[in-house]
Amino acid sequence: MVRKWAFNAVFAYLLFGVLMYAYLFYLADASVPHSLKGTSVDPSTFMNHRELMLSEEYSKIKNLLFFLSSPYEWLFYFLVLIFGVSRTFEKWAEKTSRFHIIRSAVYLFWLSLASFIVTFPLSYLSHSVSKAYHISTQNFHSWMKDELIDFWVNFALMFIVVTVLYALMKKFKKRWWLAAWILSIPFTIFMMFLQPVVIDPLYNDFYPLKDKQLETKILEMAAKADIPAKHVYEVNMSEKTNSLNAYVTGIGSNSRIVLWDTTLEKLSDKEILFIMAHEMGHYVEKHIYFGIAGYLLLSLVGLWITAKWMEKCMARKNELKVKGISNLSSLPLFFLLTSILLFAASPLTNWVSRYEETRADRYAMEMTHDSASAVKTFQDLTRTGLSEVDPPWLVKIFRYGHPTMRERIERADSSK
């Protein structure tokens, strides 16, 4: 039975991979409509022939890797369950101590290490592709350092979550999901405070914007928008990538507006001001707070569905090599189900994100009154990131938290 389940799971994954390859490389059309040829939306008007070719190749490969990664994770967790690997890790943990907190740490370490090793080839392939197409500038040593930081940061956070979660499962047999959700509220808010000042600096160096004239212009815009900003932060991303980006992170006194140094190097002041106005639009329209509220709502629904799903799976607990929901060996099942739910919910969360990004774009154009710079910014972002202007439908709904460049450029053009 176990071999049959394993064979079917691997076959299903390989079949899915073949179908996605056929869709992305042969069936999907990412070219702009003929009616838009020669307009500002047409990538051939702002990218040369080599850039167009590389963009098409790179986008297809990265999209395929994206669609292969989540099911690969599901396959890993499923095989860990049915082959009894999770139960073996639990036995190792039980031998180390009688204390639940130490058992959780030992079990989670072995599961995290196994996950890291199994998913490493896919992660390295993604990095290699980005390096080959000159999106990533990061050498292997630097990339591996980030991977190890990721491992230990995720381990530390998951140790807290798993220890509390399984303590709740033992205490509240039927309502553990509700107790877990209630405790997740202060934890989520705490992490929003912690992220910009503790976690992000582990990966990169942040410092106040060096160009003080540009910072003055940005702060003047912030003052007009009633944003209590005192600094704009710059981060040294050029050591790792050629891509451009800027973002807002954190809440309250820990909130930050951050510019990548690649953005400062490759865009004009007008384009940078448009990007900053866009980020200010997120702040003014309180998208961070709506995002937290939406995340907590989805978490409530997701935990409830996961709890019900896990109960049904316990009907086959012998095949899954799990004694019960509150046993640590059920953790891969929890991860499997929550990962599937997150993937299934991504079209909805991406749609909400695209709506908020559209609002921020509109706010930026109203603030700057510079649609020409908006168009140029979107074109430069497309070229430097080797992005698709009009991606295939499945790619858009599952990958895009921003509107497509076609949509953004068309809106900017129409506001002139």
Side-chain angles (χ1 to χ4, degrees), residues 272-314:
I272 292 171
L273 290 175
F274 173 80
I275 289 176
M276 287 293 93
H278 171 97
E279 299 304 329
M280 291 175 192
H282 287 303
Y283 182 94
V284 170
E285 300 212 355
K286 305 187 186 309
H287 290 162
I288 291 177
Y289 300 101
F290 284 120
I292 293 173
Y295 168 78
L296 291 174
L297 177 61
L298 282 177
S299 296
L300 176 62
V301 176
L303 282 169
W304 177 76
I305 294 175
T306 300
K308 298 300 180 184
W309 207 347
M310 288 184 76
E311 287 179 8
K312 291 183 180 296
C313 289
M314 285 302 104

Side-chain angles (χ1 to χ4, degrees), residues 12-273:
Y13 176 74
L14 294 175
L15 179 61
F16 173 78
V18 170
L19 292 175
M20 288 309 306
Y21 178 84
Y23 171 76
L24 293 170
F25 282 80
Y26 296 103
L27 302 177
D29 184 9
S31 60
V32 297
H34 184 74
S35 60
L36 295 176
K37 295 290 185 182
T39 68
S40 57
V41 174
D42 185 359
S44 64
T45 63
F46 57 87
M47 297 171 72
N48 60 40
H49 177 73
R50 175 174 171 77
E51 289 171 334
L52 288 170
M53 179 188 68
L54 292 176
S55 173
E56 182 178 356
E57 292 177 358
Y58 179 71
S59 295
K60 287 178 178 179
I61 295 172
K62 292 296 284 187
N63 289 335
L64 179 61
L65 289 175
F66 167 81
F67 282 108
L68 291 179
S69 60
S70 289
Y72 186 71
E73 180 185 2
W74 305 341
L75 179 63
F76 165 74
Y77 288 132
F78 181 69
L79 295 180
V80 161
L81 284 167
I82 65 173
F83 282 114
V85 177
S86 181
R87 179 62 186 134
T88 299
F89 291 162
E90 185 178 39
K91 288 178 180 178
W92 291 353
E94 289 171 348
K95 291 179 181 178
T96 59
S97 174
R98 62 188 179 87
F99 295 107
H100 172 67
I101 190 169
I102 297 177
R103 289 181 175 182
S104 296
V106 172
Y107 174 88
L108 186 61
F109 173 78
W110 287 114
L111 181 63
S112 299
L113 182 62
S115 176
F116 180 83
I117 293 171
V118 170
T119 59
F120 182 82
L122 207 57
S123 299
Y124 181 68
L125 178 60
S126 180
H127 165 70
S128 299
V129 169
S130 295
K131 192 78 182 290
Y133 283 86
H134 303 290
I135 300 299
S136 173
T137 60
Q138 196 172 20
N139 60 36
F140 178 79
H141 174 77
S142 175
W143 175 78
M144 196 65 207
K145 178 184 174 183
D146 282 352
E147 289 291 298
L148 292 175
I149 291 173
D150 262 344
F151 176 87
W152 288 112
V153 168
N154 290 333
F155 175 79
L157 294 176
M158 288 311 302
F159 169 65
I160 297 171
V161 171
V162 169
T163 302
V164 174
L165 178 65
Y166 276 81
L168 294 174
M169 285 179 173
K170 292 180 184 298
K171 186 174 181 60
F172 306 101
K173 300 293 185 182
K174 295 293 184 181
R175 300 288 183 179
W176 61 264
W177 58 273
L178 182 59
W181 178 75
I182 292 171
L183 288 179
S184 75
I185 298 174
F187 182 74
T188 299
I189 296 172
F190 174 72
M191 288 304 302
M192 290 293 291
F193 275 101
L194 201 67
Q195 183 79 33
V197 295
V198 176
I199 297 178
D200 289 347
L202 294 174
Y203 299 88
N204 299 98
D205 295 326
F206 292 78
Y207 35 81
L209 185 61
K210 295 175 183 176
D211 188 338
K212 296 304 176 185
Q213 288 186 336
L214 178 59
E215 184 179 44
T216 298
K217 293 177 183 177
I218 294 172
L219 292 178
E220 286 174 354
M221 291 172 59
K224 291 179 182 177
D226 295 324
I227 298 173
K230 295 182 180 179
H231 297 288
V232 177
Y233 288 89
E234 180 180 342
V235 57
N236 62 329
M237 290 300 297
S238 56
E239 297 177 355
K240 299 181 179 181
T241 183
N242 284 317
S243 295
L244 313 181
N245 198 14
Y247 60 90
V248 175
T249 186
I251 57 175
S253 60
N254 280 6
S255 60
R256 287 185 174 185
I257 299 176
V258 179
L259 271 166
W260 288 11
D261 60 348
T262 51
T263 303
L264 294 166
E265 292 167 6
K266 297 179 182 180
L267 297 187
S268 67
D269 280 6
K270 286 185 176 181
E271 292 173 274
I272 292 171
L273 290 175

